[in-house]
Amino acid sequence: MATIPLPKQRASELKGRDFLDLADFTTEDLKKLLALSVELKEKHNKGIPYRPLEGKTLGMIFEKASTRTRVSFEVAMNQLGGQAMFLSGRDTQIGRGEPIPDTARVLSRYLDGIMIRTFGHEIVSEFARYATVPVINGLTDLHHPCQVLADLLTLWEKKGKLQGLHVTYVGDGNNMANSWLVAAPKLGINLRIATPAGYECDPQVVEQAQRLAAYHGTELLLTYDPIEAVKGTDMIYTDVWASMGQEEEQRLREEHFAAYQVNKELAAHAKPDHLFMHCLPAHRGEEVTADVIDGPNSVVFDEAENRLHVQKAIIVATMV
């Protein structure tokens, strides 16, 4: 495993902060979280007990279903000595019209932290504004910061560095692409994003990323040409063509995204030792072919495992 140099200040300085958008964190903040992730993963792999969350409870509000998010957060809390409480949309009064500020204030009286996986980013932002405990964004339509932190940890482990690498995202300009846009420049990563016309990333996030890239001296390429984006890259990333809530667009998206499938022909333009990542679940035969996702360059299951370790780091850093 690659060694991540520990910053002078430890991640404990993030205590009490919300984890909503990677744009809210400095380069040093992100390095602290990655370093803490490595430390906690090493404890986990060596079987060293670490239970700083005894007596603490994380409430998990799911308005969007998930396998990895629910299981990884529940296991993380359990292994850290605390407990996690699952709350679906049917289990809270939000679904019956209770104002978000009221729910946030009440749950803050019971819980030590709240994780929300929902649709509109404004929901998690408003929740955090009124909650008095840390709020973690488990996913919104705009950002997926927990996943990208796991991706960064995986990239660091496999390549031994982040600075100067080239990362290519191919597909829909969705929450994954948006989170990569704000994280990559802060860690010295050159980012390329190839989307079909009409499926570009959020323009405000793009503008923010352009400023960050200029400040940090990294490259940012936004293109409609997947071959241009993949050429000589260190890592190829993709996601499903139709995310949750876009199922009715599936057929149309299949037509528009056909040229953006990550297959052996496209991957051949990358470096021979490139990595392939996908946030999962994957649709083999759509956004990626089986021979790529199951091939020797794929690290998708290491990436998925790292969701557990980075979420432990986020929980420890914000709640301990």
Side-chain angles (χ1 to χ4, degrees):
M1 181 185 295
T3 300
I4 299 178
L6 289 172
K8 291 179 182 178
Q9 291 84 26
R10 299 302 299 276
S12 58
E13 294 200 355
L14 301 178
K15 183 176 180 179
R17 287 182 61 180
D18 300 314
F19 188 79
L20 308 183
D21 176 354
L22 296 178
D24 300 332
F25 295 86
T26 65
T27 296
E28 283 300 295
D29 290 336
L30 295 176
K31 286 182 177 180
K32 291 172 196 174
L33 286 169
L34 288 169
L36 181 57
S37 301
V38 169
E39 183 181 325
L40 295 179
K41 185 172 182 177
E42 288 175 348
K43 287 182 186 293
H44 175 86
N45 290 342
K46 292 176 181 177
I48 300 172
Y50 181 63
R51 300 174 66 82
L53 289 172
E54 295 279 0
K56 292 185 182 287
T57 304
L58 176 73
M60 306 188 305
I61 299 173
F62 281 84
E63 294 189 312
K64 275 190 173 184
S66 170
T67 300
R68 278 150 294 277
T69 300
R70 178 175 179 180
V71 174
S72 57
F73 268 107
E74 284 199 19
V75 171
M77 281 300 292
N78 180 271
Q79 292 182 355
L80 292 168
Q83 62 178 334
M85 179 181 294
F86 174 81
L87 299 166
S88 72
R90 297 184 301 274
D91 297 323
T92 70
Q93 295 297 324
I94 297 175
R96 299 177 62 189
E98 181 176 46
I100 289 173
D102 290 358
T103 302
R105 290 182 179 114
V106 170
L107 291 183
S108 295
R109 303 289 182 105
Y110 305 143
L111 303 168
D112 302 285
I114 300 166
M115 188 282 296
I116 308 176
R117 183 178 168 96
T118 187
F119 293 88
H121 194 77
E122 67 280 359
I123 295 171
V124 73
S125 297
E126 186 176 11
F127 214 101
R129 195 156 54 246
Y130 291 94
T132 55
V133 296
V135 175
I136 299 169
N137 175 9
L139 174 143
T140 65
D141 289 344
L142 188 64
H143 287 291
H144 197 352
C146 292
Q147 179 64 57
V148 170
L149 198 63
D151 302 337
L152 290 166
L153 176 59
T154 311
L155 187 59
W156 203 322
E157 288 176 338
K158 303 300 181 184
K159 293 295 184 182
K161 64 175 185 175
L162 295 177
Q163 183 86 27
L165 293 179
H166 288 80
V167 167
T168 298
Y169 177 93
V170 178
D172 189 21
N174 60 14
N175 50 10
M176 288 305 313
N178 289 336
S179 285
W180 267 106
L181 275 168
V182 294
K186 293 184 176 188
L187 292 164
I189 296 171
N190 302 300
L191 183 64
R192 306 161 178 179
I193 294 182
T195 65
Y199 297 92
E200 298 89 348
C201 299
D202 181 274
Q204 289 185 321
V205 177
V206 169
E207 185 179 341
Q208 186 179 36
Q210 289 170 334
R211 291 197 302 269
L212 286 169
Y215 179 80
H216 291 281
T218 62
E219 300 169 18
L220 175 60
L221 172 67
L222 304 174
T223 180
Y224 298 122
D225 183 352
I227 293 176
E228 179 187 18
V230 166
K231 207 168 283 183
T233 196
D234 295 290
M235 194 259 272
I236 304 173
Y237 202 109
T238 194
D239 193 5
V240 295
W241 290 342
S243 298
M244 209 175 300
Q246 299 171 332
E247 290 82 1
E248 72 283 355
E249 302 175 27
Q250 179 69 33
R251 185 166 296 180
L252 181 63
R253 283 173 171 260
E254 286 176 6
E255 295 174 11
H256 291 172
F257 283 81
Y260 293 80
Q261 182 186 73
V262 180
N263 50 39
K264 289 184 77 172
E265 291 72 28
L266 181 62
H269 295 280
K271 289 181 180 177
D273 64 345
H274 74 274
L275 303 176
F276 172 77
M277 290 195 200
H278 192 303
C279 54
L280 303 178
H283 297 160
R284 287 166 172 78
E286 290 184 18
E287 74 274 6
V288 61
T289 55
D291 54 5
V292 168
I293 193 170
D294 298 321
N297 296 82
S298 176
V299 293
V300 296
F301 297 111
D302 293 332
E303 175 191 6
E305 179 196 340
N306 279 338
R307 286 289 301 277
L308 172 64
H309 307 298
V310 300
Q311 275 149 207
K312 279 186 180 179
I314 294 164
I315 291 167
V316 169
T318 59
M319 290 175 56
V320 173

